[in-house]
Amino acid sequence: VQNGYIEDVEGLSLTSRSDTLRAEQDSILSGRLVMGALCLLLVMMGLVNYMNVTMTGLAVRRKELEVMECIGMTGRQIRGMLVCEGMFYSLIIAALTITVGSGIIRGTGILMKQRIPYFVYHFPVAEMALVLGCVFLICIAAPILMYGKMETLKNKRNTGK
């Protein structure tokens, strides 16, 4: 050791995380693009499935809704009931996402950290809030829009247009 520096460094290797991260940037970017496309595809499939189930449910419940209207329930009350149902579904999804989904994300982050030295884990709080907000919006708006469309078609049939 001379002047605080080690002169003989044979057998010693030093790897910087920032150098490794820079070297893997292209691989990381392509992985994010593929995973983003896969996530978008899954979201679209889920959305189409939810719309299909909601439309089918409203079609099956059409007689039930008509009976409710005949005994005095107003269209506004039916829309309120559909909003409450949508909020209930949203709360179930949010609870499962926050508990089970967060556990899976955290477990995956820990596993990735152990296997990839340059991996940095950040919990996606903003993204999760955005997705849950969209879920609430979709679960509440979709039945209302479909009920409105159903009412429009019923009114056209009743007026003979």
Side-chain angles (χ1 to χ4, degrees):
V1 177
Q2 190 176 16
N3 295 332
Y5 295 103
I6 301 173
E7 290 183 10
D8 186 18
V9 289
E10 286 183 38
L12 181 66
S13 72
L14 178 64
T15 305
S16 170
R17 279 188 175 183
S18 62
D19 292 340
T20 307
L21 184 60
R22 233 178 276 119
E24 297 292 332
Q25 264 326 50
D26 288 338
S27 173
I28 292 169
L29 181 61
S30 63
R32 284 184 179 171
L33 287 173
V34 169
M35 293 307 287
L38 183 61
C39 287
L40 184 63
L41 180 66
L42 288 172
V43 166
M44 295 305 274
M45 288 172 56
L47 184 60
V48 168
N49 183 40
Y50 178 73
M51 294 296 187
N52 184 33
V53 168
T54 303
M55 285 171 46
T56 304
L58 282 176
V60 168
R61 293 173 63 189
R62 183 181 315 162
K63 292 286 185 197
E64 173 190 337
L65 296 174
E66 287 175 1
V67 167
M68 288 179 171
E69 283 180 346
C70 287
I71 61 172
M73 195 170 195
T74 65
R76 180 180 223 164
Q77 290 171 326
I78 291 175
R79 281 189 288 279
M81 179 185 72
L82 293 173
V83 166
C84 288
E85 288 175 4
M87 288 179 67
F88 180 71
Y89 295 142
S90 300
L91 289 172
I92 291 171
I93 292 168
L96 288 173
T97 301
I98 290 170
T99 56
V100 177
S102 295
I104 291 171
I105 290 172
R106 179 74 176 136
T108 304
I110 291 169
L111 182 66
M112 295 293 287
K113 183 73 173 159
Q114 291 173 349
R115 295 186 181 223
I116 302 173
Y118 57 84
F119 184 78
V120 179
Y121 172 75
H122 296 287
F123 189 81
V125 175
E127 292 85 354
M128 186 175 284
L130 177 69
V131 167
L132 289 178
C134 290
V135 165
F136 271 86
L137 181 68
I138 291 168
C139 286
I140 292 170
I144 298 300
L145 294 173
M146 290 179 202
Y147 175 72
K149 190 68 135 173
M150 195 170 73
E151 284 296 300
T152 304
L153 290 173
K154 185 175 89 173
N155 290 337
K156 282 184 180 180
R157 271 184 295 179
N158 289 345
T159 59
K161 290 184 179 178

